[in-house]
Amino acid sequence: DSTLKDINNWCKKYTDGMIEKMIDEIDPEGVISYPGVSTVTAVGYQRQLFDNGLGQYLNGYSLHAYTPFPPEPNGFLRNVRALVSMVREHTKGDIPMFGTEAGYSSNNDKKGELMKLNGQLRTNLILMGEGFKFNYAFYGNDFGNDDNRCKDGDYGLRYNLQYGISNFRYGPKLTSPRAIAAGIAAASWILDGKRPTACLEGVFGETSLGYSFQEAKGDKCAIALWDFGGVGGEAKLPVGRDRIVVADVMGNEREVAAPNGVLTLKIGESPVYVIDPDAKMWGRGGTMAAKMAAEAKRIAAEREARIKLKVETVEPDFDGETPVAAATVVNRTDARQGVVVETRVKGVPEARQRVRVEFAPKETQVVRIPLAGFAPKVTEMVDLSVVAALKDGFRAEHAGAINFW
């Protein structure tokens, strides 16, 4: 309710890093949440902000958690954990973390609907499992690009049945739910009010992932599981009950037998849920939650030990007007290595560039690769792949959407 004059007076009064005091004066209960970067891949950029003191002004952290599909092979979990660790290290206490926008634009054919359903749900579940309070799904209804090119699909949770009519671009009166709408509704019914108790990464196969949850103020638990590799697998889960309710991605429930208290559950690309396993096993400090979390850490450590080379992040940069892919590459070996780093952009031959870089043992370098002859629009999301390779054939890849803003 403040006037422009009031705001100008506050701005004159509070300068030189004191903006948080101005906000506190306006609203003592307000949360100062930042930086709102539009992708989880921008770890290096945010590290610069926190190293320069951003954390001292925050009592909340916010992020547009966009990530390419599928999220897991494109480093979503790794990047989220790096950001969570960074925030915890540089801020005062356990500040809340918020996903302020994320989603997938997809066609409205079967492949597109499944991509949106699985991508959005798995992104949300990973954020929730790693400690985020919530994540806003973008967007309520299909709305189209500025030139209405995306006539076959969009970011919406619902179809816009008045698509292309400017008056109804963002607020149509006629809509119809896409598959993701039912998927989010089901996850909300099952997980609302619960907080994570364990990550089940890799426990039921190389590409399995999931989390166990318990009510913040209560005993009821739930488990969400999936296999992002697409091959499908089986999970044997001690649940402490002879019969238990299992729900599919749309929330359809069925009661199934769990002989001797062990449930055999088929998992695939779409998350499935186990509802109300024994809290003494899966709740905070529960025996199975602790055991599975320890097993997941062991598996992750073994997997890390096999990795000779990593492309940790890829961020946009410029050399004059020329776009540059700035790739953070890590030599994990104890020997000097010659590393060939190559960029590719689908459908853009001139963006295929290659450099050779010498690495000392255990060295990390930011390898800058100019994409000569490539001139993307500033608003265009570019599917960029960066591959780093050793002479013995070991390869590391970082692939995902990047914006040369």
Side-chain angles (χ1 to χ4, degrees):
D1 296 330
S2 301
T3 65
L4 183 60
K5 182 179 178 181
D6 293 331
I7 294 172
N8 283 333
N9 287 335
W10 278 316
C11 288
K12 290 174 184 175
K13 183 178 179 182
Y14 298 110
T15 58
D16 192 24
M18 303 300 287
I19 297 299
E20 76 283 0
K21 290 191 175 181
M22 179 183 79
I23 295 174
D24 284 342
E25 183 172 319
I26 297 170
D27 181 1
E29 296 182 1
V31 174
I32 302 171
S33 182
Y34 202 71
V37 177
S38 290
T39 172
V40 296
T41 60
V43 176
Y45 167 67
Q46 293 184 73
R47 186 176 290 118
Q48 291 178 48
L49 295 178
F50 280 101
D51 285 347
N52 282 309
L54 173 66
Q56 65 186 302
Y57 305 116
L58 301 184
N59 50 21
Y61 170 86
S62 60
L63 171 77
H64 279 15
Y66 284 98
T67 192
F69 182 85
E72 302 87 354
N74 284 302
F76 184 68
L77 177 58
R78 179 183 69 242
N79 288 327
V80 168
R81 285 177 174 170
L83 292 171
V84 170
S85 175
M86 188 188 311
V87 171
R88 298 290 180 256
E89 179 185 347
H90 287 87
T91 57
K92 307 163 189 173
D94 189 19
I95 69 171
M97 303 181 70
F98 311 105
T100 44
E101 181 180 306
Y104 290 91
S105 180
S106 69
N107 290 335
N108 56 15
D109 55 15
K110 181 179 179 180
K111 181 179 179 182
E113 295 294 353
L114 282 171
M115 185 270 276
K116 181 187 287 286
L117 172 72
N118 293 329
Q120 185 77 63
L121 281 177
R122 283 156 35 187
T123 296
N124 280 14
L125 289 169
I126 290 170
L127 288 171
M128 185 178 179
E130 295 300 319
F132 276 63
K133 296 297 184 185
F134 60 72
N135 181 46
Y136 281 120
F138 185 84
Y139 181 72
N141 310 294
D142 290 343
F143 58 90
N145 296 325
D146 289 336
D147 56 4
N148 278 322
R149 288 177 300 169
C150 191
K151 293 184 182 299
D152 294 324
D154 208 329
Y155 279 97
L157 307 185
R158 296 184 296 273
Y159 294 110
N160 181 341
L161 301 184
Q162 294 166 301
Y163 206 91
I165 304 174
S166 60
N167 290 346
F168 299 109
R169 183 176 180 188
Y170 292 106
K173 295 181 179 179
L174 300 176
T175 66
S176 178
R178 301 183 74 162
I180 181 58
I184 285 183
S188 298
W189 279 110
I190 295 166
L191 299 177
D192 184 43
K194 296 182 174 68
R195 303 304 298 157
T197 61
C199 176
L200 313 181
E201 181 188 9
V203 173
F204 303 109
E206 183 76 14
T207 54
S208 67
L209 186 56
Y211 295 88
S212 57
F213 302 91
Q214 184 182 17
E215 290 176 326
K217 297 179 181 179
D219 293 330
K220 285 197 172 182
C221 295
I223 299 169
L225 271 179
W226 64 95
D227 187 320
F228 60 84
V231 294
E234 256 187 8
K236 291 189 179 296
L237 289 165
V239 292
R241 316 214 187 286
D242 291 331
R243 298 191 67 80
I244 196 160
V245 174
V246 173
D248 66 15
V249 69
M250 295 297 181
N252 298 301
E253 297 183 358
R254 58 192 176 93
E255 188 178 80
V256 298
N260 300 315
V262 177
L263 170 68
T264 300
L265 183 67
K266 289 185 177 180
I267 55 175
E269 289 184 282
S270 296
V272 293
Y273 307 95
V274 181
I275 299 174
D276 200 23
D278 190 344
K280 292 179 182 178
M281 303 176 80
W282 291 103
R284 289 174 288 276
T287 55
M288 286 310 303
K291 181 178 179 180
M292 291 294 183
E295 179 67 3
K297 287 182 179 179
R298 184 192 67 78
I299 292 169
E302 286 185 354
R303 188 183 296 155
E304 281 287 304
R306 298 195 298 267
I307 297 174
K308 299 179 181 180
L309 191 67
K310 293 183 79 171
V311 182
E312 287 197 328
T313 62
V314 178
E315 299 185 357
D317 204 344
F318 289 90
D319 183 1
E321 295 295 317
T322 302
V324 173
T328 302
V329 182
V330 183
N331 173 18
R332 301 284 301 279
T333 73
D334 294 320
R336 293 189 64 83
Q337 299 284 0
V339 180
V340 175
V341 185
E342 183 177 37
T343 60
R344 294 187 185 185
V345 175
K346 187 177 180 180
V348 186
E350 58 269 32
R352 185 170 183 176
Q353 303 290 335
R354 180 183 294 179
V355 297
R356 189 178 189 279
V357 184
E358 290 294 324
F359 278 74
K362 301 291 187 183
E363 184 183 12
T364 299
Q365 289 190 45
V366 177
V367 181
R368 300 176 76 258
I369 307 176
L371 306 179
F374 179 43
K377 296 179 182 178
V378 294
T379 55
E380 181 182 357
M381 296 301 291
V382 176
D383 289 323
L384 175 69
S385 169
V386 176
V387 176
L390 298 176
K391 188 176 181 180
D392 66 4
F394 187 92
R395 291 160 54 91
E397 182 176 8
H398 190 293
I402 193 169
N403 173 255
F404 287 94
W405 185 265

